[in-house]
Amino acid sequence: MPTLDDKVVLVTGAGSGIGRAHAELMAARGARVIVNDWVSASAEETVARIEAQGGVARVCVADVSDGAAVRSAFAQAQDALGAVDVLVNNAGIASGLVALEDVDADSIDRMFAITVKGTMLCTQAVLPGMKARRSGSIVNTASIMAFGSHARGSVYAAAKGAIVSLTKTWAREFAPWNIRVNTVAPGRVSTAMTAHLSANAAYEEDMRRRVPLGRRADPEEIATVVAFLASDEASYVTGQVISPNGGEVL
Ligand SMILES: NC(=O)c1ccc[n+]([C@@H]2O[C@H](COP(=O)([O-])OP(=O)(O)OC[C@H]3O[C@@H](n4cnc5c(N)ncnc54)[C@H](O)[C@@H]3O)[C@@H](O)[C@H]2O)c1
């Protein structure tokens, strides 16, 4: 089992769903965890859950698309828990399936601000420290939709496609400092983001037909992949996109 002993991990969007699963698993594997979310009550709940299991965690409230807020909140959290060794850029929002003709410009701006700009701003905030220590692991979050798995998903797919591009660009750019950059691209996962879909019987039946393993993932099944990428066991893995998706995209 990959250990994260002595590592400081910062997970964005860790107040819920997959991000909370990352935070809890990494804490259970020995990391001190900085729990970012823009909803402070959600981040506090994740920290309380980790502490109840004997782990070490700290709340870090910031909207990832707000550079000044990210820099200030990340600096305060690092003063408390130590310099970030592992950054998991997980925060994200959903967008429904919409025909391109019906996509409104504001939804494009909002998606790109949180997904693409947010990933860039959070990475900028930890990069100088990782470079100074000549060590780091960054795990970004895409989706199978980056590979064209769904029609009518332009906005989300384009933003997640950009995450794959950033991952490969940064893997080359940061390698001289021994900083690895990878992406997890989940398939369908049971979280608040997808709860409205799980409640739709016809959608679920279609999902079971399309996914060879015949079910959604639990958030913990994404977290185990990210914990590996974060750990020193993945020391020769960089620029890769790993897609736990039940076989939906092969
Ligand atoms: N659930 C899925 O099926 C699925 C599939 C593929 C990829 N993903 C990706 O996984 C990530 C997590 O998704 P989830 O399903 O756990 O969603 P979720 O809605 O359960 O959790 C997302 C968390 O991010 C936080 N957040 C959103 N915008 C933020 C911002 N600007 N700043 C800080 N925090 C913010 C939310 O408050 C929430 O706590 C997202 O990037 C999502 O796109 C999810």
Side-chain angles (χ1 to χ4, degrees):
M1 187 173 72
T3 173
L4 292 162
D5 280 346
D6 300 327
K7 296 215 186 284
V8 175
V9 176
L10 194 158
V11 183
T12 69
S16 163
I18 299 170
R20 174 174 283 171
H22 292 326
E24 291 188 0
L25 182 68
M26 301 238 208
R29 292 190 179 177
R32 301 194 295 280
V33 183
I34 299 172
V35 174
N36 160 264
D37 209 282
W38 61 355
V39 180
S40 59
S42 306
E44 282 160 15
E45 193 183 328
T46 300
V47 168
R49 289 166 65 112
I50 289 171
E51 289 175 344
Q53 296 299 317
V56 178
R58 186 184 169 94
V59 169
C60 169
V61 177
D63 173 349
V64 295
S65 67
D66 177 341
V70 164
R71 283 190 296 279
S72 155
F74 281 25
Q76 277 179 34
Q78 291 186 95
D79 284 348
L81 283 197
V84 169
D85 300 297
V86 175
L87 171 67
V88 183
N89 284 308
N90 164 82
I93 54 170
S95 80
L97 298 178
V98 179
L100 181 61
E101 307 89 291
D102 299 324
V103 168
D104 77 271
D106 286 349
S107 75
I108 303 172
D109 289 344
R110 185 171 146 79
M111 180 62 71
F112 274 75
I114 293 174
T115 304
V116 183
K117 188 169 83 170
T119 294
M120 295 176 83
L121 293 174
C122 292
T123 302
Q124 281 181 328
V126 302
L127 193 59
M130 288 183 175
K131 281 188 169 178
R133 293 188 309 285
R134 301 190 74 81
S135 175
S137 173
I138 296 166
V139 185
N140 296 324
T141 305
S143 160
I144 54 168
M145 287 182 67
F147 316 136
S149 65
H150 288 64
R152 297 183 294 119
S154 305
V155 177
Y156 188 81
K160 293 303 194 183
I163 295 300
V164 173
S165 302
L166 288 174
T167 299
K168 291 173 185 285
T169 300
W170 291 348
R172 286 195 192 282
E173 186 171 335
F174 307 158
W177 289 272
N178 189 34
I179 299 166
R180 297 181 297 102
V181 190
N182 294 287
T183 278
V184 67
R188 304 170 195 239
V189 189
S190 297
T191 69
M193 190 180 273
T194 55
H196 64 292
L197 300 173
S198 306
N200 178 330
Y203 189 94
E204 285 302 279
E205 186 50 41
D206 182 61
M207 177 275 291
R208 279 190 284 274
R209 268 199 305 275
R210 288 170 185 263
V211 179
L213 287 181
R215 63 176 178 83
R216 291 176 187 282
D218 289 327
E220 293 70 24
E221 293 177 287
I222 312 305
T224 49
V225 173
V226 169
F228 163 69
L229 291 172
S231 76
D232 293 339
E233 290 198 358
S235 55
Y236 203 56
V237 182
T238 195
Q240 303 305 306
V241 179
I242 299 189
S243 184
N245 64 45
E248 184 169 5
V249 175
L250 298 173

